[in-house]
Amino acid sequence: MSEPTRLVLIRHGETRLNVENIFRGRTDIPLNENGFDQARRLGEALRPQRLAAVYSSPMDRAMATARGVAEAQGLTVQAMDAFHNICLGAWEGRSKQEIRQEQPELWRQWVHTPEALVLPGAETIPRVRERAMRGIAELLDRHASQTVAVVTHRSVLKTILAGMLGLERDYFWKFYLDNCSYSTVEHQHPFGFTLTSLNECCHLPSRTRETF
């Protein structure tokens, strides 16, 4: 039996909008000072893992986090659109408090049934899951029996984890993922995916607890 393929799934480091509890989506904001420190600490924490490659969402905050990991391994970051953040349409750049007050029905759906939420001009969670899992399948083909890192966003990671575990509904809020945390998954034929760790944060001295 061949060695499993190991995926290190990473949420990007902290940004100002995370601290201010504002919807990000495709708003391309950089890491804040704490986020850059988190990325450096993450790179050191993952240094012993001997990664074959580091992939990232093309967004600045993800790429900067990925560089912290890649540079510690002597690698360069490879951007993949499959791991781009969800597009949230008109919600992007707006505070969650404002949305809760101005659009209570849509906010209720976001809190209770986000997998079914449809926003004008936005991407649905099922569509995110579809493209992200295609990206994961591509990496499994490309890196059999190797360890690779993927740096992406909270919403994308939730759909990836649900897809790997076969969760079809009511899964989005069952995962909590801190900025610059990592989770590990192994894939081996014929068994499929095994979640081996979730939301690892031992390398992070400072975290912002984010709600919804």
Side-chain angles (χ1 to χ4, degrees), residues 18-207:
N18 293 114
V19 176
E20 296 175 359
N21 210 24
I22 290 173
F23 280 110
R24 282 85 52 193
R26 299 275 176 102
T27 303
D28 205 5
I29 187 170
L31 298 178
N32 62 14
E33 183 177 351
N34 187 45
F36 280 111
D37 183 63
Q38 290 175 334
R40 180 188 61 79
R41 291 175 181 273
L42 176 63
E44 289 301 312
L46 295 179
R47 188 186 292 274
Q49 305 230 8
R50 299 181 64 183
L51 301 175
V54 178
Y55 294 90
S56 177
S57 156
M59 303 205 74
D60 184 85
R61 57 191 180 272
M63 291 290 289
T65 305
R67 282 192 292 272
V69 175
E71 289 170 3
Q73 302 276 338
L75 299 170
T76 57
V77 180
Q78 301 179 59
M80 285 186 68
D81 284 338
F83 305 124
H84 209 312
N85 200 18
I86 186 172
C87 173
L88 290 172
W91 282 16
E92 293 183 0
R94 302 198 62 196
S95 76
K96 296 173 185 178
Q97 178 68 9
E98 288 176 346
I99 297 299
R100 185 181 69 82
Q101 292 176 344
E102 295 176 14
Q103 302 179 45
E105 177 55 28
L106 290 175
W107 176 259
R108 187 194 66 78
Q109 292 179 50
W110 172 248
V111 171
H112 295 287
T113 56
E115 298 88 349
L117 178 63
V118 178
L119 296 174
E123 188 178 22
T124 65
I125 287 174
R127 289 294 299 273
V128 175
R129 174 170 169 162
E130 180 182 353
R131 63 170 166 82
M133 289 306 293
R134 283 200 305 267
I136 293 296
E138 183 178 338
L139 297 190
L140 293 178
D141 288 339
R142 193 182 300 176
H143 294 286
S145 300
Q146 295 180 323
T147 298
V148 298
V150 176
V151 182
T152 182
H153 308 265
R154 179 178 72 158
S155 294
V156 181
L157 287 169
K158 287 169 177 279
T159 69
I160 289 172
L161 289 168
M164 290 176 168
L165 297 176
L167 305 178
E168 298 299 333
R169 52 178 295 177
D170 301 330
Y171 61 79
F172 195 79
W173 297 119
K174 289 182 169 62
F175 301 106
Y176 183 84
L177 302 165
D178 283 290
N179 284 114
C180 225
S181 67
Y182 69 92
S183 304
T184 55
V185 179
E186 293 184 354
H187 183 272
Q188 189 169 39
H189 295 293
F191 309 111
F193 294 102
T194 301
L195 179 65
T196 54
S197 68
L198 180 68
N199 199 41
E200 292 282 356
C201 295
C202 292
H203 55 289
L204 300 177
S206 175
R207 291 178 281 165

